[in-house]
C-alpha cells in the first residue's frame, strides 16, 4: 500500500500568501504583543481565521532557537493515566519518557485535551467506545486544529485511540512515535512496541517442554494489535511444538470477573486443558479474579492446572501471587520512543520507524509439569508425523 501524500506544516509565509498581507504583519498578529494593536481589526481577524483553517500553531519558543526547534517534546495520552486502577501500569511509561527527554536535553509537555461532540463527529469515536468508554473523549484536534504543534514532536500513549487522528497527523507530516504497535489503513506509523509474538511463543514452548498439549488461550475482548500479536505468538508456539491448533481452546474474556474457579473446572473437565494462558487487562479486575481463584484451593496452580499471564498483572505488589508471566519493558519502550522521535526530528523526511523490544520471562510459581493423574498430554493434539502418537479426534480429555 502506497503511503498517503504528506502535507507539510503551515508557516507564517503560507498565511501571508493566503490573506494577501506581509509575513511581518502575520508575525505581529500571531505574536499578540503590544505592536499587534497597530494592525487593522479586519486584517487581524483574517489572519487568525486563515491560521485556524490551515492548522497553524505558533511555536513561540522557536524564534530564538537555531533551526526552529522548541526543544519541547509532547506526551499525549488517549486516556487518563493517573486513575488508581491504572497508576502502576502506566507509571513506568511516564518515567521512561521523562528520564529520556531530560537526558536528551528536552523539556516535556503533557497534553490532555478533551474533545467535543463535533470532534467525535469529524474523527469518529475512539477504539473503546463500544466497550463502555466514558462519554468525554480526548482529542488531539480540539476545535479542528492540531494542538500538538506547540511541541517539536510527540510521544503518544494509550489503548483507546482515535485512528482517524493518527492518519491526520501523518498527512500533516507531524513527527510522532506511538508507544505500542498501532496501525491505520492509509499510512505507516512510527512505534516502539513490546515483542508479544516472541514472548507468547516462548511461553507456549515452555509449557510444551513440560508436557502440555491442551493449552487454552484466553484473549481480550478488543481486537487490538497487542491481542492479535499474542494470538499470533500462541499459534506459532503450537506449530513449533508440533501441536495441532484447536479453535475451541481460543476463548474471549469479555470481563475479567468471568474468570472464575467454576469456569476453569469446566475447561479442565470438558476440554481437557492442562494449562491456561491469560491476557491481562489494564485495571485490577483480573488481579482480583486470580486472587479469588487461588484462594479457593479447588484448583491448585500448578498442581492441577498450569496458569501463565501474557504480560504484567496490573497493580501487582510483591505480597501477591507470583504468577508465571512475561514482563513488558515499559520504561525501556518509552525511552526508546523518545530516542526514535528525536531521530525523526533530525531527518529531512519523517519516514516511519518501527521497533520491537524483547519482553522478560518471569518464572513465577504457577506452571509445572502435566499433573500425574491426568491423561498423558503427549497423547493429545500431536500433528501426524510428529512423535509416535496419532492425532486427537478433538473430544474432551477425561
Amino acid at each position: 500500500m502506497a503511503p498517503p501524500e504528506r502535507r507539510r506544516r503551515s508557516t507564517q509565509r503560507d498565511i501571508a500568501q493566503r490573506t494577501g498581507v506581509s509575513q511581518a504583519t502575520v508575525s505581529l498578529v500571531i505574536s499578540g504583543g503590544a505592536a499587534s494593536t497597530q494592525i487593522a481589526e479586519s486584517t487581524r481577524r483574517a489572519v487568525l481565521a486563515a491560521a485556524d483553517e490551515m492548522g497553524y500553531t505558533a511555536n513561540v519558543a522557536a524564534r530564538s532557537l537555531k533551526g526552529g526547534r522548541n526543544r519541547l517534546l509532547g506526551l499525549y495520552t488517549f486516556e487518563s493515566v493517573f486513575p488508581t486502577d491504572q497508576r502502576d501500569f502506566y507509571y513506568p511509561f511516564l518515567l521512561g519518557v521523562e528520564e529520556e527527554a531530560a537526558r536528551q536535553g528536552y523539556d516535556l509537555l503533557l497534553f490532555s485535551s478533551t474533545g467535543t461532540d463535533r470532534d467525535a463527529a469529524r474523527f469518529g469515536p475512539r477504539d473503546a467506545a463500544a466497550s463502555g468508554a466514558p462519554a468525554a473523549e480526548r482529542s488531539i484536534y480540539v476545535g479542528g486544529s492540531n494542538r500538538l504543534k506547540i511541541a517539536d514532536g510527540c510521544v503518544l500513549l494509550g489503548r483507546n485511540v482515535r485512528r482517524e487522528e493518527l492518519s491526520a497527523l501523518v498527512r500533516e507530516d507531524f513527527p510522532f512515535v506511538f508507544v505500542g504497535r498501532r496501525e491505520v489503513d492509509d499510512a505507516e506509523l512510527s512505534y516502539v512496541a513490546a515483542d508479544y509474538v516472541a514472548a507468547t511463543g516462548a511461553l507456549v514452548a515452555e509449557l510444551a517442554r513440560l508436557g502440555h498439549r491442551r493449552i487454552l488461550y484466553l484473549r481480550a475482548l478488543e481486537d487490538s494489535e497487542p491481542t492479535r500479536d499474542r494470538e499470533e505468538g500462541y499459534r506459532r508456539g503450537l506449530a513449533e511444538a508440533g501441536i495441532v491448533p484447536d479453535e475451541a481452546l481460543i476463548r474471549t474474556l469479555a470481563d475479567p470477573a468471568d474468570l472464575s474457579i467454576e469456569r476453569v473446572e469446566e475447561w479442565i473437565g470438558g476440554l481437557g486443558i492442562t494449562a491456561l494462558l491469560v491476557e491481562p487487562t489494564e485495571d485490577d479486575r483480573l488481579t482480583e479474579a486470580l486472587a479469588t481463584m487461588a484462594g479457593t484451593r479447588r484448583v491448585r496452580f500448578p498442581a492441577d492446572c498450569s496458569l501463565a499471564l501474557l504480560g504484567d498483572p496490573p497493580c501487582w505488589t510483591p505480597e501477591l501471587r507470583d504468577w508465571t508471566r512475561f514482563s513488558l519493558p515499559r520504561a525501556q519502550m518509552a525511552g526508546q520512543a523518545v530516542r526514535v522521535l528525536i531521530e525523526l526530528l533530525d531527518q529531512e523526511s519523517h519516514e516511519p520507524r518501527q521497533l520491537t523490544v524483547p519482553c522478560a520471562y518471569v518464572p513465577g510459581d504457577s506452571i509445572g509439569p502435566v499433573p500425574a493423574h491426568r491423561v498423558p498430554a503427549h497423547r493429545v493434539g500431536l500433528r501426524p508425523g510428529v512423535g509416535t502418537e496419532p492425532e486427537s479426534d478433538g473430544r474432551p480429555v477425561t
Side-chain angles (χ1 to χ4, degrees), residues 120-395:
R122 179 182 179 189
F123 291 104
R126 58 182 182 171
D127 285 355
S131 57
E137 297 181 351
R138 295 193 173 188
S139 174
I140 294 171
Y141 289 86
V142 174
S145 62
N146 176 10
R147 297 174 60 85
L148 304 186
K149 287 184 177 179
I150 297 172
D152 295 327
C154 196
V155 173
L156 273 56
L157 180 66
R159 187 179 184 94
N160 307 314
V161 305
R162 289 179 185 264
R163 307 279 170 163
E164 290 301 317
E165 292 196 336
L166 299 183
S167 296
L169 290 177
V170 173
R171 290 193 296 272
E172 289 188 15
D173 199 24
F174 180 78
F176 71 94
V177 178
F178 212 107
V179 180
R181 186 172 75 86
R182 294 296 182 271
E183 295 180 342
V184 294
D185 292 335
D186 56 352
E188 290 288 327
L189 308 182
S190 292
Y191 61 75
V192 176
D195 193 347
Y196 290 114
V197 176
T200 303
L203 266 179
V204 173
E206 177 62 14
L207 289 169
R209 185 188 68 81
L210 293 169
H212 296 275
R213 292 296 182 272
R214 300 290 289 175
I215 305 169
L216 188 144
Y217 165 44
L218 207 54
R219 71 193 301 276
L221 178 63
E222 298 87 4
D223 189 33
S224 64
E225 291 87 351
T227 295
R228 294 199 296 268
D229 287 347
R230 288 178 171 103
E231 182 169 340
E232 180 182 345
Y234 170 78
R235 292 180 182 277
R236 282 191 189 181
L238 292 179
E240 291 172 2
I243 302 173
V244 177
D246 182 346
E247 298 302 320
L249 298 186
I250 300 177
R251 299 295 179 99
T252 298
L253 184 63
D255 186 336
D258 294 337
L259 184 58
S260 63
I261 201 66
E262 292 80 12
R263 186 65 59 85
V264 174
E265 288 174 333
E266 290 177 8
W267 292 331
I268 292 174
L271 295 175
I273 72 165
T274 61
L276 179 62
L277 293 175
V278 183
E279 181 176 347
T281 57
E282 292 181 5
D283 54 33
D284 59 4
R285 291 176 296 161
L286 180 63
T287 305
E288 293 172 354
L290 292 172
T292 300
M293 285 201 310
T296 66
R297 308 297 295 175
R298 287 166 53 180
V299 175
R300 298 165 299 165
F301 303 103
D304 299 315
C305 181
S306 289
L307 188 150
L309 302 180
L310 303 179
D312 297 295
C315 305
W316 185 85
T317 55
E319 63 269 15
L320 297 176
R321 176 73 182 266
D322 188 20
W323 300 99
T324 301
R325 62 193 183 275
F326 60 74
S327 180
L328 278 62
R330 288 173 283 178
Q332 181 184 351
M333 290 167 60
Q336 183 65 55
V338 172
R339 291 190 291 273
V340 170
L341 177 59
I342 293 174
E343 291 173 5
L344 290 176
L345 293 174
D346 290 336
Q347 295 176 1
E348 188 68 25
S349 61
H350 303 142
E351 294 300 321
R353 296 195 58 196
Q354 299 170 349
L355 303 179
T356 55
V357 181
C359 298
Y361 175 64
V362 181
D365 61 7
S366 57
I367 70 170
V370 174
H373 63 278
R374 304 289 295 279
V375 172
H378 70 278
R379 295 184 180 274
V380 182
L382 280 176
R383 182 182 298 117
V386 179
T388 60
E389 299 296 334
E391 184 178 2
S392 168
D393 62 5
R395 289 177 296 182

Side-chain angles (χ1 to χ4, degrees), residues 98-122:
E98 179 187 21
E99 290 183 345
E100 188 60 31
R103 188 177 296 114
Q104 298 284 347
Y106 280 77
D107 287 315
L108 195 60
L109 184 61
L110 177 65
F111 292 91
S112 57
S113 300
T114 300
T116 63
D117 291 340
R118 185 177 65 177
D119 299 321
R122 179 182 179 189

Side-chain angles (χ1 to χ4, degrees), residues 11-28:
T11 65
Q12 292 187 8
R13 178 179 298 177
D14 296 327
I15 298 172
Q17 293 175 348
R18 169 77 68 87
T19 56
V21 301
S22 68
Q23 189 173 339
T25 298
V26 172
S27 179
L28 284 174

